[in-house]
Amino acid sequence: MLTKRIIPCLDVKAGRVVKGVNFVGLRDAGDPVQIARQYDEQGADELVFLDITASHEQRDIMLDVVRQVAEQCFMPFTVGGGIRTIDDVTRLVRAGAEKVSINTAAVVSPQIVEQTARRFGRCATVVNIDPKRVSVDEFTRRTGKLPGVLSEDGRVFEVHTHGGRTPTGLEAVSWAKRVVEMGAGEIVLTSMDADGTKDGYDIELTKLIVEAVNVPVVASGGCGGPEHMVEVLRDISEGGAGASAALAASIFHYGQYTVEQTKQHLAAHGVPVRLTSSLDPGVRK
């Protein structure tokens, strides 16, 4: 049985880890290198590093911070933000990123997904999708298109870019299928509606994407505790959303839970996880 992954996320702005609610109201959470080292020691399965304002500010990602994190951490490391060309991807991989997460650039220049997959492989090619529910009337008025898949409350899951600032006219389910066809080997799915609320992941949205694609889906946005991870990671046949991994930020950054405590809770509720050495002497941190 494949284990489920627990992934802390570092949203970085101006060299500091930040966290907000619904992509706004950001507050400081600490130094990214120090926080990354702590998660590595706690036994996180992976780490996601997102320079959340690089695309909006039209600047390159902070390579020096990426290098420092890569030098001090041994877990797999995904980096995103400010990627515009395949040369940007190459610089990030050379700086130490094992995977590169593409969001805005995938919409603006879709060929970058294909180029990344060809040069570095599907496993290194991650597409981050940030959907938000919008009304059918609003979506149709802006795009001139009739929507396909709707939420249970009759709204459209519209993809946004530039740190959630820009609506794209793309529907999340169809966009997820398209990026996988182009070469994405993993999707990080961040619900803008749930982000930072601590009310739980968007189970409906996550399940729709999991059922639509044949690559791992990382659920992101809304985690308030390990119980929410149980729900999103459980297989669909068991009433969950079927995500391959759960990403969280606030609950870890502000000390509400450690990665070890989270994994212990998941294991106790039947979710297969890789336990850290303090919980299982046979496994290295």
Side-chain angles (χ1 to χ4, degrees), residues 253-272:
H253 296 343
Y254 301 117
Q256 187 177 358
Y257 297 94
T258 66
V259 174
E260 289 189 358
Q261 290 169 338
T262 299
K263 287 190 172 185
Q264 193 168 26
H265 181 92
L266 292 170
H269 286 79
V271 177

Side-chain angles (χ1 to χ4, degrees), residues 211-264:
E211 291 179 322
V213 300
N214 60 356
V215 300
V217 175
V218 180
S220 171
C223 183
E227 67 278 7
H228 292 148
M229 290 187 177
V230 172
E231 185 179 18
V232 81
L233 293 173
R234 273 184 175 155
D235 291 341
I236 293 174
S237 62
E238 298 175 348
S244 297
L247 184 148
S250 297
I251 67 167
F252 295 142
H253 296 343
Y254 301 117
Q256 187 177 358
Y257 297 94
T258 66
V259 174
E260 289 189 358
Q261 290 169 338
T262 299
K263 287 190 172 185
Q264 193 168 26

Side-chain angles (χ1 to χ4, degrees), residues 106-285:
V107 175
V108 176
S109 305
Q111 67 271 16
I112 194 173
V113 179
E114 299 175 350
Q115 293 169 343
T116 302
R118 282 199 304 268
R119 182 172 295 187
F120 299 106
R122 293 181 67 99
C123 291
T125 308
V126 179
V127 172
N128 198 313
I129 300 177
D130 299 339
K132 178 182 180 180
R133 287 171 171 82
V134 300
S135 71
V136 171
D137 288 345
E138 176 188 344
F139 182 83
T140 303
R141 184 174 61 254
R142 280 193 289 102
T143 67
K145 298 184 294 186
L146 293 175
V149 177
L150 298 179
S151 64
E152 292 176 354
D153 63 0
R155 290 185 288 174
V156 183
F157 294 108
E158 185 177 10
V159 176
H160 286 61
T161 58
H162 298 88
R165 296 173 179 83
T166 307
T168 65
L170 297 169
E171 294 182 72
V173 174
S174 60
W175 179 236
K177 292 179 180 178
R178 184 178 169 194
V179 298
V180 171
E181 290 172 356
M182 290 189 292
E186 183 169 87
I187 289 172
V188 175
L189 179 67
T190 303
S191 168
M192 289 183 61
D193 300 303
D195 178 70
T197 64
K198 295 188 179 183
D199 292 332
Y201 295 95
D202 192 325
I203 300 301
E204 179 189 3
L205 172 61
T206 305
K207 182 178 176 182
L208 284 171
I209 301 297
V210 168
E211 291 179 322
V213 300
N214 60 356
V215 300
V217 175
V218 180
S220 171
C223 183
E227 67 278 7
H228 292 148
M229 290 187 177
V230 172
E231 185 179 18
V232 81
L233 293 173
R234 273 184 175 155
D235 291 341
I236 293 174
S237 62
E238 298 175 348
S244 297
L247 184 148
S250 297
I251 67 167
F252 295 142
H253 296 343
Y254 301 117
Q256 187 177 358
Y257 297 94
T258 66
V259 174
E260 289 189 358
Q261 290 169 338
T262 299
K263 287 190 172 185
Q264 193 168 26
H265 181 92
L266 292 170
H269 286 79
V271 177
V273 292
R274 180 185 67 87
L275 295 176
T276 60
S277 59
S278 62
L279 299 177
D280 183 350
V283 180
R284 188 186 76 85
K285 274 189 180 181

